[in-house]
Amino acid sequence: MEIIGIDVGFGFTKAYSGQNSVIFKSMIGDAPDIQFMSSMGDAAAAANLHITLDNKTYFLGAYAERQSSLTEYTLDQEKMVEEFIKILALAAAGTCSQTHGPINVVTGLPVAYLKRDTKRLKQILQGEHEIIYHHQDAPDEHRRISIDKVHVIPQPIGSIFNLIFDDNGKICDRDLATSKLGVVDIGFKTTDFSIFDHLQYIERGSSTMDTGVAKCFSVIADKLRQESGVNYRIRRWVYPFGRISDIIG
C-alpha cells in the first residue's frame, strides 16, 4: 500500500510519496474562466493547480495568487483544520499518488494542537474522495482518492526520524537512537519544541510557541514602513518569498 507524507503548513503545503513530491503555497482562490493560456512558464505539477472538490472549483498555490480575484489563506489553526486542510491535503495527495488503490497518510500537527485536532483531522481525510484536476492542454483528470489510515504525529518528529532511520525504516545511527534529543522546528506561523529520550516522546518540555517566520516578516515590514514610508500589501507579506519587492510590494 502506498504511503504519502503530507504537511499542510500555514505557508506551504508539502507532500512526498517516496517517488514523487509536490510543494505549493497554502493559498486557495476562486477559479475564473481564463480566455488565453500561454504554453510558456513553469511546467511543474503544482504550477497551475486547478481542482474541483465537493462540487467547488479552486485555484491553489501560486496559480491562485496570480489568477484568482479572491484568495484566502489563514494563520488560524481552527480555520486551517475546518476549511483548508481537506482541500490542500487531497490536492497534494492526488498529485503525488501513483496508485488507484487505498493509500495511507502520515501527517503532522503542532505539538500544542495534537490532542485537540488529531481525531478531527483523521475524520476529515479518511475515506473516499472524488477530485478533478483541470489541465491546460489535456482532458480533465478524474481521480478517486481512497485514504485508508491517517497517522498523525507531532511535527518535529520528522527531523528525528530522518536522522535516525534509513529509507527502509532501519536504525542507522544507534548513538542518536539511544540519546536524549531536543528539536526546534521553526515553521511559518508556529515554532515547535520536542524532546525525545531513547526514541520516546517526552511530553514535559514539548510545546508550541505561536511565533514563526511570519512574525519575522511582519517585523521587517513594520521597520521598512517606519524607515521608508513604504506600505506593504497583506498578501505579499504573508507569502514574501523571493525578491525583496515581493515583501514591500
Side-chain angles (χ1 to χ4, degrees):
M1 181 176 291
E2 190 175 34
I3 300 173
I4 297 180
I6 301 176
D7 176 12
V8 180
F10 291 100
F12 285 84
T13 295
K14 293 82 68 178
Y16 180 60
S17 68
Q19 293 182 323
N20 300 310
S21 63
V22 66
I23 178 170
F24 55 91
K25 295 178 181 181
S26 296
M27 178 180 285
I28 297 171
D30 63 312
D33 185 18
I34 299 177
Q35 300 180 73
F36 173 74
M37 292 286 194
S38 172
S39 59
M40 298 178 288
D42 192 351
N48 301 300
L49 202 46
H50 177 193
I51 68 164
T52 295
L53 178 67
D54 296 333
N55 297 316
K56 295 181 180 179
T57 303
Y58 310 94
F59 287 172
L60 303 179
Y63 201 38
E65 189 175 35
R66 291 194 307 267
Q67 299 283 14
S68 297
S69 300
L70 300 172
T71 57
E72 288 188 85
Y73 52 83
T74 187
L75 295 180
D76 179 77
Q77 176 68 16
E78 181 68 20
K79 189 172 183 180
M80 172 63 80
V81 173
E82 286 295 324
E83 300 180 21
F84 282 75
I85 277 184
K86 181 178 181 180
I87 298 168
L88 299 172
L90 291 179
T95 302
C96 286
S97 177
Q98 294 289 304
T99 181
H100 294 285
I103 62 175
N104 289 338
V105 168
V106 179
T107 189
L109 282 170
V111 173
Y113 299 107
L114 194 66
K115 183 177 181 179
R116 191 193 78 174
D117 291 336
T118 291
K119 182 177 179 180
R120 206 162 32 140
L121 180 55
K122 289 182 178 181
Q123 290 172 341
I124 288 170
L125 295 182
Q126 282 178 317
E128 301 279 342
H129 307 278
E130 300 284 347
I131 186 169
I132 303 172
Y133 291 87
H134 305 281
H135 303 296
Q136 289 188 24
D137 301 315
D140 290 347
E141 181 184 359
H142 293 253
R143 292 290 306 278
R144 180 188 295 270
I145 300 175
S146 176
I147 298 180
D148 184 24
K149 296 179 181 178
V150 177
H151 190 56
V152 183
I153 62 176
Q155 286 179 343
I157 281 185
S159 300
I160 293 289
F161 286 177
N162 184 58
L163 291 171
I164 294 177
F165 297 102
D166 62 19
D167 291 342
N168 296 314
K170 304 295 184 181
I171 293 177
C172 61
D173 192 324
R174 294 197 174 275
D175 288 338
L176 282 180
T178 56
S179 299
K180 189 173 185 178
L181 306 172
V183 183
V184 180
D185 180 5
I186 302 173
F188 191 75
K189 191 252 182 180
T190 59
T191 297
D192 286 298
F193 308 91
S194 286
I195 296 175
F196 291 80
D197 192 353
H198 288 71
L199 292 183
Q200 294 296 309
Y201 172 76
I202 308 301
E203 183 67 36
R204 175 172 50 87
S206 298
S207 63
T208 298
M209 184 171 64
D210 203 29
T211 298
V213 176
K215 179 64 175 179
C216 300
F217 286 132
S218 178
V219 171
I220 293 170
D222 285 344
K223 192 66 174 178
L224 287 171
R225 186 172 63 249
Q226 293 170 14
E227 297 293 332
S228 66
V230 176
N231 290 315
Y232 60 90
R233 293 197 299 270
I234 293 296
R235 186 171 71 178
R236 288 295 188 187
W237 161 63
V238 173
Y239 297 99
F241 304 95
R243 300 167 300 176
I244 188 66
S245 61
D246 287 339
I247 300 176
I248 64 177

